[in-house]
Amino acid sequence: MKKLSVILTVLMVLLLAACTPAQEKSAKKSLSEMLTSHKWRFSSQQDGELKLNYNWLLELKNDGTWAMDMDSTVDDSSSSHTLRGTWSLDGTTLTVVMKDEEIPEFNTTEVLTFSDTMTDEIIEKDGVYSIVPTTPNDSSVDEFLDVRPEMKWYVSDKYFCFYTVLFTAE
């Protein structure tokens, strides 16, 4: 009886050990899965000289297309527009192509590198602007404006950061 108990215990330990990697793997989503598992919302309201209100809803689809419904208000003038395009992921490099027939200035391709230093905790503590360098003390503002910060992106189950635009999961 004691021998049977030991064998059953060893068998259970082996079964649990065999299941653990599969459980860990299923619990950890790929970057692509995180991008497509939510709709992403960006909202901003600023009351200053101009009253600005932005409410954007972005969806990245599994087929490599995306659409963003953009509702914007400047003072008392409102507008709505849907921006569309394609996206692809090569390792951790995100390429976003914007295609717009109505507003050709939006037609661009952005290639962003995944931010290895960004985390949900940093976003919640310091915001996304922590990845954009500030003006060095020994540089003029003109020199600073000539320097374009490296394009970065970040995704989790809570946030999608596209450069300095922070979307939250719906």
Side-chain angles (χ1 to χ4, degrees):
M1 188 68 153
K2 197 174 195 182
K3 207 177 211 183
L4 180 61
S5 174
V6 170
I7 291 172
L8 287 174
T9 303
V10 169
L11 184 60
M12 287 182 63
V13 169
L14 289 174
L15 286 173
L16 286 173
C19 293
T20 302
Q23 290 170 343
E24 287 176 5
K25 190 175 183 180
S26 68
K28 186 174 182 181
K29 291 182 182 176
S30 70
L31 294 175
S32 180
E33 289 171 319
M34 282 190 277
L35 284 169
T36 58
S37 63
H38 303 283
K39 287 186 179 181
W40 301 98
R41 181 159 312 271
F42 169 76
S43 296
S44 176
Q45 185 172 350
Q46 299 172 7
D47 293 321
E49 197 170 303
L50 288 176
K51 292 181 181 177
L52 304 172
N53 188 4
Y54 301 108
N55 191 11
W56 301 344
L57 185 62
L58 171 66
E59 181 177 13
L60 292 106
K61 299 176 184 168
N62 287 323
D63 67 359
T65 62
W66 62 269
M68 182 166 60
D69 296 325
M70 303 183 319
D71 295 320
S72 305
T73 304
V74 177
D75 286 332
D76 294 325
S77 178
S78 296
S79 67
S80 293
H81 184 72
T82 299
L83 184 60
R84 299 179 190 284
T86 59
W87 69 277
S88 63
L89 194 58
D90 182 11
T92 58
T93 301
L94 177 65
T95 302
V96 178
V97 178
M98 295 177 235
K99 301 175 185 174
D100 195 294
E101 293 178 14
E102 292 179 43
I103 308 172
E105 293 82 13
F106 284 168
N107 294 339
T108 62
T109 299
E110 299 291 341
V111 179
L112 295 95
T113 341
F114 188 78
S115 175
D116 292 330
T117 59
M118 186 63 69
T119 64
D120 288 0
E121 292 79 21
I122 289 173
I123 289 171
E124 290 163 1
K125 182 179 175 249
D126 301 325
V128 294
Y129 292 101
S130 63
I131 64 172
V132 178
T134 56
T135 306
N137 292 335
D138 57 349
S139 300
S140 71
V141 172
D142 290 334
E143 288 173 353
F144 176 70
L145 293 176
D146 288 336
V147 177
R148 184 175 178 193
E150 185 179 358
M151 299 293 283
K152 295 282 188 176
W153 74 283
Y154 170 79
V155 69
S156 70
D157 272 325
K158 291 172 73 175
Y159 302 111
F160 171 48
C161 177
F162 184 84
Y163 189 42
T164 58
V165 179
L166 181 63
F167 294 87
T168 54
E170 285 260 302

